[in-house]
Amino acid sequence: MRRKLRGPLSPRHGLDPARLRMPDEGPWGTLLEHLVERLPRLDPARIEQMLREERIFGLDGPLGVDSAFVPGSFIWFHRDLPDEVVVPFDISVVHRDEHLLVVDKPHFLATIPRGKHILETALVRLRRDLDLPALSPAHRLDRVTAGLVMFVITPEVRGKYQTMFRDRRVKKEYEAIAPYDPSLELPRTVRSHIVKERGVLAAQEIEGPVNAETRVELIEHRDGLGRYRLLPATGRTHQLRVHLSGLGIPILGDDFYPVLTEKPLDDFTKPLQLLAKVLEFDDPVSGEHRRFTSSLRLTAWDSSDEWAAPPAS
């Protein structure tokens, strides 16, 4: 296996620097000319400023505004970070050993950096707070869903754990709070064809071969609400939310289904009442049977007032 070229920049805020390889040929005389063309979303004046401040590095050190374009060479730099809303909830560690880190991710915290969420993500926080710069996710959980997420500490075994999730060799159990419908026959297995178009926030069920399957069980009910156990056999985007909405019992706090309602990023009231409760699998490295259970709870079941209230300052 070809070893990845080690760059001159260390991680910052738990984030690795961006790395770009220069084309093998081209008309550019300077690095600046090439980057202006290659990074159209970045203001040319900002690229020039980064070079003047020696924030862009080659293998031998910082590069200046007059640096020549060198075909086939590599450069490294840290991207500018967006202004982010601080997510006022902690991540709790459920399990840690030589290879694995399992945590309880709170509602409203993204798993990995994407779009407007960079520093305020589980991966970046954990890399920084636990001093684990090589940490990587074995799978992902929606930003608005709380519960168990597994990360891999040792890069050499990362693929084994990620493949385990890809091949559906992990038993996942979720818990949800949703309206109770006495006419709905449960337990049942919901099967449908779910599609999620790029750039469209919500997924939808359409005619087509089954690609999404969820077993839905009612654990208990009271005061018009039900507490449900959800056992997904597949992992389509928003699958559990789509399936419960399709049954006429949309999950409490769901701003996407059945009606899309955009919620400000600084509104932490009424979190989606969906919890990744259990992860169970045979460890592909040790062979040990593992079962992890979340210690979080869905507040709407115990107190609707607590669920709707903003977080304590």
Side-chain angles (χ1 to χ4, degrees), residues 13-33:
H13 304 303
L15 288 170
D16 293 327
R19 185 187 74 162
L20 296 181
R21 184 185 186 277
M22 300 300 103
D24 290 327
E25 58 182 22
W28 313 280
T30 67
L31 175 62
L32 175 60
E33 291 173 357

Side-chain angles (χ1 to χ4, degrees), residues 153-268:
I153 296 173
T154 314
E156 291 75 18
V157 299
R158 176 188 308 157
K160 293 184 179 181
Y161 290 105
Q162 292 175 337
T163 299
M164 180 181 66
F165 280 89
R166 184 198 66 191
D167 294 344
R168 301 173 187 169
R169 289 184 279 119
V170 179
K171 178 183 176 182
K172 301 178 183 178
E173 180 180 320
Y174 289 75
E175 188 173 300
I177 309 301
Y180 170 65
D181 181 355
S183 67
L184 187 63
E185 293 186 9
L186 295 175
R188 69 165 62 189
T189 298
V190 182
R191 299 180 178 91
S192 70
H193 186 83
I194 295 178
V195 295
K196 171 72 166 62
E197 295 182 13
R198 188 179 183 88
V200 178
L201 293 176
Q204 58 180 323
E205 290 178 293
I206 63 173
E207 292 294 328
V210 170
N211 66 359
E213 179 179 320
T214 307
R215 179 171 176 81
V216 182
E217 302 175 357
L218 177 66
I219 301 172
E220 57 182 326
H221 68 89
R222 68 172 185 234
D223 301 327
L225 292 179
R227 190 162 72 93
Y228 299 89
R229 179 183 296 110
L230 309 177
L231 304 171
T234 56
R236 310 301 298 186
T237 299
H238 297 175
Q239 174 179 317
L240 304 180
R241 299 160 68 180
V242 170
H243 278 169
L244 261 66
S245 180
L247 291 175
I249 51 170
I251 300 173
L252 263 64
D254 197 335
D255 296 310
F256 280 23
Y257 309 98
V259 178
L260 177 62
T261 304
E262 293 198 42
K263 187 174 185 177
L265 293 178
D266 60 352
D267 185 350
F268 300 113

Side-chain angles (χ1 to χ4, degrees), residues 3 7 28 40 67 94 101 120 134-135 142 148 155 160 185 193-194 228 243 247 313:
R3 181 173 294 180
W28 313 280
S67 294
V94 175
L101 175 70
E120 289 298 308
L135 192 70
D142 283 349
L148 297 176
K160 293 184 179 181
E185 293 186 9
H193 186 83
I194 295 178
Y228 299 89
H243 278 169
L247 291 175
S313 57

